[in-house]
Amino acid sequence: MNEQMLLQEALREAQKGLREGGLPIGSVLGDRHGQIVARGHNLRVQSGDPTAHAEIVCLRNAGRRRDWAELTLVSTLSPCIMCTGTALLFRIPHVVIGEDRNFKGAEELFQQRGTRVVILDDRECIAMMREFIAAHADLWNEDIGK
């Protein structure tokens, strides 16, 4: 499975979150063969857990592993500093980002630590997030700590 196919799966997760009344941010974790080993979407609203960002939920769903250094983390939106730090903690070497126009996370931290970052600048990711922010600015601001 290539980066674009993994992103499509992350987009499915984001859409699921939106249908549930949450934020439309999704994430998947792929192994070295491109197979999905975990998935997740932002559950902060649904669960009341302020740390339940899509990437964190995805990594939790991955469970205990010893192959973190062979995995690829894919997110529809640029990861915040919390999610970036968690990916760095587990030494995930490759991060694919659907878009960083609506929110630019801590991408420079990835690059400083030698993590390969690919930004796909995906139109569907950009539009979905832009529409959500316009319609739910208060919820978005709460999610990013404003």
Side-chain angles (χ1 to χ4, degrees):
M1 205 177 266
N2 65 27
E3 291 173 348
Q4 192 62 47
M5 291 169 69
L6 289 170
L7 180 63
Q8 288 306 308
E9 292 300 315
L11 266 165
R12 284 186 180 85
E13 286 294 318
Q15 292 159 348
K16 184 176 179 184
L18 187 59
R19 285 192 305 274
E20 294 172 355
L23 282 84
I25 305 168
S27 184
V28 298
L29 196 59
D31 67 14
R32 66 178 176 216
H33 306 292
Q35 299 300 307
I36 294 174
V37 298
R39 54 182 65 236
H41 55 278
N42 187 302
L43 291 172
R44 195 183 59 77
V45 172
Q46 300 92 313
S47 68
D49 177 355
T51 67
H53 288 199
E55 301 87 348
I56 300 299
V57 172
C58 180
L59 295 172
R60 284 179 186 153
N61 289 339
R64 293 179 61 197
R65 307 188 66 88
R66 295 179 185 220
D67 64 345
W68 295 107
E70 299 174 10
L71 302 177
T72 297
L73 180 65
V74 180
S75 181
T76 57
L77 186 66
S78 182
C80 73
I81 196 163
M82 174 181 67
C83 298
T84 298
T86 304
L88 289 173
L89 176 69
F90 291 112
R91 293 177 176 84
I92 296 170
H94 184 200
V95 175
V96 177
I97 299 169
E99 69 108 343
D100 67 351
R101 291 187 189 198
N102 289 295
F103 177 76
K104 187 160 185 93
E107 296 165 24
E108 70 282 351
L109 290 177
F110 282 131
Q111 293 161 344
Q112 289 171 4
R113 293 303 227 27
T115 302
R116 180 173 170 244
V117 176
V118 175
I119 301 166
L120 296 178
D121 207 28
D122 183 84
R123 288 182 291 173
E124 188 175 354
C125 290
I126 294 166
M128 181 175 52
M129 205 65 227
R130 184 174 291 143
E131 290 167 15
F132 179 83
I133 292 169
H136 305 283
D138 58 332
L139 190 55
W140 170 246
N141 287 335
E142 181 184 315
D143 195 67
I144 60 171
K146 281 191 177 179

